[in-house]
Amino acid sequence: MAWQCGTAGLGVRTARSTAVPALSSASACNRQARAGTSFSAAGQSACVQTARLAPTGRYEASATASSAATAVTPPPSQCRAGDAGDGGQQWQQEVVDAFAAAEGFVELTIRAKVASAQPWHTVTVRPVAVKGGRQLQVTTLTARQSLSANHPAPAGDTAAVERVLSPLLAQAGIGSVALRAAGGDLAVQVTKRGKGIIHRSAPKDRTPLLRGAPGSAGDPAEGAQQLLAHNRTKATPIPADRPHPFLQKIGFQTADGRVRAAMQDKFTQVNDFLRLLGHSTLVRGLAKQQQQQTQHPDQPGAAAAAGSTATTTTGDAHSTTTATESGGLGSPAGARLHILDCGCGSSHLSFGTYHYLSHVLGVPCAMAGVDVNAGLMAKSNDNAAALGLADTVRFDTAPIGDYTPRVRPDIVLALHACDTATDDALALAVKQSSPLIMAVPCCHAHLHKQLAGRPPSSRPPWQPLLRHGIMRQRQLDLVTDSLRAALLRVAGYSTDVVEFVSTEHTPRNLLIRAELQQQSASQRQQQRQQQQQQGAQPPYRKAQMEAAREYLALRDYWGVLPRLEVLLANELGPVLHAAAQASDSEPAAGQDGGDQLAA
């Protein structure tokens, strides 16, 4: 029963004992009304309730006060700020009107204050199509569960929208409200006094919900149906519910467009792999440039920016290619991104990557695959020819370690290349100075063989773990991949190891992702030239030396020689030798200092 005009407390307290204060409160309301002071509908109801508590004969005064207060018009500034004292909760009504007028994608999110006593923390509202009718789905999220309810709201029925939203927006404890629509975004920050501070903005960058074929706008009716679908399809780089010739050709889909049951796990692996590929700096930058070129084709700098992508993205000397070297930079389509899939096998990832980059992101690319299985390579080439991709997709039969790419690859992929085949792929990428490496190792037999004859007691801290076969296997698998990631850091890559897919789809689900740091390749070239000319040890970067020390400490502790170090002996041998010498000299220096201090 609180008034914003400040007289409610006086009216409530005095109404309990006598009728005179009720008249005083009504008079106060009249005075403030004449002075132009605004107060809320809650204050008006409080005035009426106070008058009802007074004896008979005083009701007329309170009614007069209410009518006088109703006639007050709040200043425009208060209405725009969404003050609770504007007599109609302006910001709530503005949110309702914006939701009702929005077309296409629309979603409302209501969040409670951190210290709110409400049992819920978030409420979302979105239109859905249920049994041919449009409804508003209200989802209430609590600490333990999610509750959903559908309310009929035909298109254009503003009253139905108001019936659903008004009770939600009138709840106490609301901290913020966000409305996302195709035409623009509206955000409301609610203060402690209930005032709503409203912000409007253009639609923020977000992943499009619908993707058509390259250069096509898609069917608007189909898009509207998908936006209003009750069960939302998970956004994936390659949608499973859309038939595509390449999915059917490589065996992912049946003739009627369903993903084969036996291929569900592989299809999920490829999609999750491509999702991480799309998050890489290289691919994200190329996709953004391609989008800008598509939106502004008349700008003279757009084509130039797209055409120079392959030479400027990585920022190193070895990655600079000319039109003659790349075979694609001088083409009418602009620069081509060259991808190499090592150990491609049935080429599921190869075709999926090409489709994702070319048809989903619109990035011109060329795909090459290499594997020792001649039959699979012939079949993949036949599939490429049948799909009309013979000029941009090609597969070769050769061991990865003996293979020389026709064009320096911008991206090197390896999905489940067995044992040291992963090392061959990583070594090839480092020698070619590829800007991006994404490899998912498979079996790890090489280090297991080196440690096969050693008893668990040879590594005292790890003795309880190495005693059990399954734990020993998993531990040595992690050691193998850790050494691989450490060597890539020594080679000048920014490296991380992530889980790219759930273990329910494959137990081999660790992805080594490495992006070449800018200028690292040119620095290595300058170091080699300086070493050849002067015969002296070249200076190495601090981060490179630290990575080399970490690698040597881990390698020497386990007493192994990784295959990747052998393959990169010429490239990384000097820096590893320098790091080993620095590590040997540091303890001696520290010991001398300690002896001097003791003396």
Side-chain angles (χ1 to χ4, degrees):
M1 245 197 249
W3 291 350
Q4 285 194 334
C5 59
T7 61
L10 176 63
V12 172
R13 288 195 299 271
T14 58
R16 297 174 180 172
S17 58
T18 178
V20 177
L23 284 173
S24 301
S25 298
S27 300
C29 291
N30 279 320
R31 287 195 301 271
Q32 293 191 10
R34 287 193 296 271
T37 303
S38 63
F39 57 94
S40 67
Q44 299 175 23
S45 61
C47 184
V48 174
Q49 294 179 17
T50 303
R52 289 175 179 170
L53 293 175
T56 307
R58 307 303 183 190
Y59 184 83
E60 293 80 359
S62 64
T64 304
S66 297
S67 61
T70 305
V72 176
T73 302
S77 59
Q78 292 182 358
C79 293
R80 186 62 191 91
D83 196 345
D86 60 6
Q89 297 292 330
Q90 176 85 16
W91 68 266
Q92 286 97 329
Q93 189 60 44
E94 189 163 348
V95 171
V96 172
D97 295 342
F99 190 101
E103 296 180 357
F105 170 76
V106 59
E107 185 177 48
L108 179 68
T109 303
I110 305 172
R111 301 187 186 278
K113 294 181 181 296
V114 176
S116 174
Q118 292 286 357
W120 54 271
H121 60 81
T122 305
V123 176
T124 62
V125 184
R126 70 181 183 98
V128 297
V130 179
K131 296 181 179 180
R134 184 179 183 272
Q135 300 193 20
L136 294 184
Q137 184 179 85
V138 180
T139 303
T140 304
L141 304 175
T142 66
R144 296 186 176 182
Q145 58 184 346
S146 173
L147 304 175
S148 297
N150 296 331
H151 305 271
D157 191 345
T158 305
V161 174
E162 188 167 0
R163 283 195 302 271
V164 175
L165 298 187
S166 294
L168 299 176
L169 298 174
Q171 298 182 84
I174 294 179
S176 64
V177 178
L179 177 66
R180 300 171 64 230
D185 295 347
L186 184 147
V188 180
Q189 194 70 28
V190 183
T191 65
K192 293 181 179 180
R193 297 184 178 181
K195 176 186 292 186
I197 303 175
I198 302 173
H199 303 275
R200 291 182 178 273
S201 62
K204 295 180 176 62
D205 294 336
R206 44 183 173 255
T207 304
L209 299 178
L210 300 175
R211 292 192 180 105
S216 65
D219 187 359
E222 181 184 357
Q225 291 178 1
Q226 294 189 23
L227 289 173
L228 294 177
H230 183 272
N231 298 326
R232 288 186 175 180
T233 303
K234 183 179 179 181
T236 56
I238 304 177
D241 57 346
R242 297 186 184 179
H244 197 281
F246 100 89
L247 292 176
Q248 298 172 354
K249 200 69 179 176
I250 64 178
F252 269 143
Q253 283 184 342
T254 60
D256 55 354
R258 293 181 294 106
V259 177
R260 299 179 186 274
M263 300 298 295
Q264 287 285 353
D265 287 337
K266 194 67 174 181
F267 186 74
T268 302
Q269 293 176 40
V270 171
N271 259 321
D272 287 357
F273 192 103
L274 296 179
R275 175 176 54 84
L276 292 178
L277 176 64
H279 291 169
S280 64
T281 304
L282 174 63
V283 174
R284 190 168 60 245
L286 290 171
K288 185 176 181 180
Q289 290 183 359
Q290 186 66 26
Q291 183 180 9
Q292 293 176 350
Q293 184 185 16
T294 303
Q295 294 176 351
H296 309 285
D298 298 334
Q299 291 185 0
S308 61
T309 298
T311 61
T312 60
T313 302
T314 60
D316 57 76
H318 282 301
S319 64
T320 303
T321 54
T322 62
T324 304
E325 294 171 339
S326 68
L329 292 177
S331 62
R336 286 191 183 277
L337 189 68
H338 292 273
I339 306 101
L340 174 63
D341 187 2
C342 296
C344 56
S346 298
S347 307
H348 295 127
L349 179 63
S350 306
F351 284 103
T353 302
Y354 182 87
H355 171 77
Y356 177 59
L357 293 175
S358 298
H359 295 82
V360 177
L361 299 183
V363 177
C365 65
M367 170 63 67
V370 57
D371 197 280
V372 294
N373 192 320
L376 289 179
M377 295 300 92
K379 182 178 179 181
S380 297
N381 281 321
D382 292 341
N383 290 336
L387 294 170
L389 305 176
D391 295 336
T392 52
V393 178
R394 181 168 182 170
F395 298 91
D396 298 316
T397 303
I400 301 174
D402 299 337
Y403 180 72
T404 301
R406 295 178 178 82
V407 180
R408 183 194 63 86
D410 299 298
I411 301 175
V412 174
L413 309 177
L415 179 59
H416 295 156
C418 291
D419 197 15
T420 56
T422 297
D423 297 307
D424 293 335
L426 297 178
L428 186 151
V430 172
K431 292 178 180 180
Q432 294 286 326
S433 296
S434 298
L436 178 62
I437 306 172
M438 297 184 68
V440 178
C442 190
C443 46
H444 303 71
H446 188 253
L447 256 61
H448 288 264
K449 294 177 181 178
Q450 296 186 34
L451 297 174
R454 304 180 189 180
S457 57
S458 62
R459 297 291 177 269
W462 300 92
Q463 185 174 353
L465 185 146
L466 298 177
R467 182 177 292 113
H468 308 285
I470 183 63
M471 299 178 70
R472 173 189 176 96
Q473 176 188 347
R474 294 183 180 179
Q475 175 62 27
L476 295 183
D477 289 354
L478 293 176
V479 171
T480 303
D481 291 335
S482 299
L483 290 170
R484 287 167 171 166
L487 272 177
L488 290 175
R489 288 185 59 218
V490 177
Y493 284 83
S494 174
T495 308
D496 62 340
V497 181
V498 299
E499 181 183 87
F500 85 101
V501 71
S502 173
T503 53
E504 67 177 303
H505 301 293
T506 175
R508 306 294 186 179
N509 63 343
L510 291 186
L511 168 69
I512 301 176
R513 179 174 52 190
E515 296 191 58
L516 187 62
Q517 297 178 355
Q518 292 189 3
Q519 302 300 325
S520 60
S522 61
Q523 290 176 357
R524 287 200 303 272
Q525 185 179 18
Q526 294 175 2
Q527 292 168 1
R528 293 168 188 160
Q529 292 177 354
Q530 181 180 357
Q531 188 176 19
Q532 292 174 357
Q533 294 174 0
Q534 302 179 3
Q537 177 178 303
Y540 295 105
R541 294 183 297 112
K542 181 179 179 181
Q544 195 174 14
M545 291 294 289
E546 290 179 353
R549 291 192 188 99
E550 290 181 2
Y551 168 77
L552 292 174
L554 181 62
R555 183 202 68 180
D556 295 342
Y557 176 82
W558 288 98
V560 294
L561 180 60
R563 173 67 175 171
L564 185 58
E565 180 183 346
V566 176
L567 295 174
L568 295 177
N570 294 332
E571 289 76 14
L572 302 184
V575 63
L576 293 177
H577 181 68
Q581 288 183 334
S583 299
D584 293 339
S585 61
E586 287 178 359
Q591 184 177 0
D592 293 342
D595 294 341
Q596 294 176 3
L597 183 61

